[in-house]
Amino acid sequence: PLQTVFKEAAMSRPTASVRPDPHAEITALILADLETGVRPWTRPWTTQGAVSRPLRHDGQPYHGANVLTLWVRAARCGYARPVWMTFRQALALGGAVRKGEKGAPVVYAAPVVTADDRDEETQACRGGRFLKRYMVFNLDQIEGLDDRYPQPARPDVAERIDHAERYFAATGADILAGGDTACYRPDADAVHMPAFEAFQDPEAYYAVLAHELIHWTGHPSRLDRDLTLGRFGDEAYAREELVAELGAAFVCADLGLTLEPRPDHAAYIASWLRVLRNDTRFIVAAAAHAERAAKLLAEKQPPP
């Protein structure tokens, strides 16, 4: 009978308790690296080309938590290319995923559908969203596409640094040089940086500057994030510092710069571990805040 068919179909659907939780999966992935003392966002490079965000098959960059997920997978598997695509996208482009290769999960925000939501416009107005996942494969896992995606050439170091100078100057931030501390002062709305010569190399300087400018985006006149950090080690402090870390990683990847680890990274890792263990959703939220901050800095750049 039809009633029996519906009953069996309902029984075959995964319950909420056994469905994959994308928030928990992403958090577990990041925690696994942090627990070994490794910050996965400090390795956003390809071994044979320029530093980059992960890219879709059409060259568009991934954003938010997907950047972290794909950076981690690339580092663990030794993938040297920044391009990722689905199984079907590879076939459509004339390639094929090698037999036995395992994909990496990425997510997108889909609208929450309820009995009252009869159309997409109603869902959009209500603003309900949840994460849905799908699998992508790195270009190193795919045959037949090398002609379409040639190996990127790593740019000249001097050229990249000049580009970074122009980028940070275009933000319009008040950047004060001198002293031995890098910090953002919300009361004065100013970034304080040690002298350029005090850093081990240029990329270390720009990585720290990017970190402080992500804090700068949180000012009430800009993104209005909560910058009442409290003391080092507090949960609020750890949360904003994680946003700044991820934002700096995104900015450095967009500029083709390696994100250098901070000398005090071990202490930060301990505080981030506490936050992420207590809140499996925070890494996704932190990545979203970081993405908005990086976007704000990018929007201040002059047109090409």
Side-chain angles (χ1 to χ4, degrees), residues 3-26:
Q3 185 176 4
T4 303
V5 172
F6 286 151
K7 182 177 179 181
E8 290 176 349
M11 292 175 64
S12 67
R13 295 194 194 104
T15 63
S17 61
V18 299
R19 286 195 185 102
D21 179 353
H23 292 91
E25 286 185 330
I26 295 168

Side-chain angles (χ1 to χ4, degrees), residues 4-299:
T4 303
V5 172
F6 286 151
K7 182 177 179 181
E8 290 176 349
M11 292 175 64
S12 67
R13 295 194 194 104
T15 63
S17 61
V18 299
R19 286 195 185 102
D21 179 353
H23 292 91
E25 286 185 330
I26 295 168
T27 301
L29 194 66
I30 303 302
L31 280 174
D33 271 13
L34 288 177
E35 286 169 347
T36 64
V38 173
R39 296 186 298 180
W41 50 86
T42 63
R43 299 176 296 177
W45 60 80
T46 59
T47 58
Q48 299 178 27
V51 178
S52 173
R53 288 195 190 218
L55 304 174
R56 302 178 188 276
H57 72 287
D58 58 0
Q60 295 299 309
Y62 282 90
H63 297 285
N66 286 331
V67 178
L68 308 180
T69 299
L70 297 180
W71 275 345
V72 171
R73 180 59 66 93
R76 290 183 181 180
C77 298
Y79 299 145
R81 312 289 286 278
V83 179
W84 300 78
M85 65 189 70
T86 66
F87 188 92
R88 290 184 177 180
Q89 287 167 345
L91 288 177
L93 291 171
V97 176
R98 293 187 183 90
K99 186 176 181 180
E101 294 284 358
K102 295 183 179 179
V106 293
V107 297
Y108 68 95
V112 176
V113 180
T114 68
D116 295 331
D117 292 335
R118 302 183 184 277
D119 54 50
E120 293 183 2
E121 183 177 353
T122 302
Q123 297 167 20
C125 289
R126 295 193 175 187
R129 292 289 187 269
F130 70 104
L131 295 183
K132 295 191 71 173
R133 68 201 291 273
Y134 62 98
M135 308 302 285
V136 294
F137 298 85
N138 186 269
L139 193 58
D140 283 354
Q141 300 174 276
I142 301 170
E143 297 177 333
L145 296 182
D146 285 344
D147 291 342
R148 184 179 288 268
Y149 299 98
Q151 290 282 359
R154 188 170 178 83
D156 179 73
V157 172
E159 181 182 340
R160 284 193 294 115
I161 302 303
D162 287 343
H163 176 65
E165 287 284 343
R166 294 192 298 271
Y167 181 95
F168 291 119
T171 65
D174 188 10
I175 303 172
L176 307 177
D180 59 358
T181 301
C183 66
Y184 168 62
R185 292 277 305 276
D187 54 343
D189 194 21
V191 170
H192 292 257
M193 288 287 294
F196 185 89
E197 296 75 18
F199 288 82
Q200 181 176 352
D201 55 57
E203 289 190 324
Y205 171 82
Y206 294 118
V208 172
L209 180 54
H211 179 107
E212 301 306 334
L213 282 174
I214 296 297
H215 286 314
W216 176 83
T217 66
H219 189 272
S221 67
R222 290 179 280 275
L223 295 180
D224 196 18
R225 258 188 344 268
D226 182 9
L227 296 176
T228 55
L229 299 181
R231 297 178 302 170
F232 180 85
D234 288 352
E235 183 170 310
Y237 191 104
R239 286 172 179 262
E240 172 62 17
E241 284 299 315
L242 185 53
V243 170
E245 269 288 289
L246 299 182
F250 295 165
V251 169
C252 286
D254 291 342
L255 294 176
L257 300 171
T258 301
L259 181 70
E260 299 285 346
R262 296 169 65 102
D264 51 1
H265 82 137
Y268 278 108
I269 284 178
S271 63
W272 293 332
L273 283 171
R274 287 194 297 272
V275 171
L276 295 177
R277 285 168 178 157
N278 292 332
D279 183 357
T280 60
R281 291 178 173 263
F282 182 67
I283 189 64
V284 175
H289 282 300
E291 189 67 59
R292 285 192 286 272
K295 181 181 178 182
L296 178 66
L297 297 180
E299 288 173 347

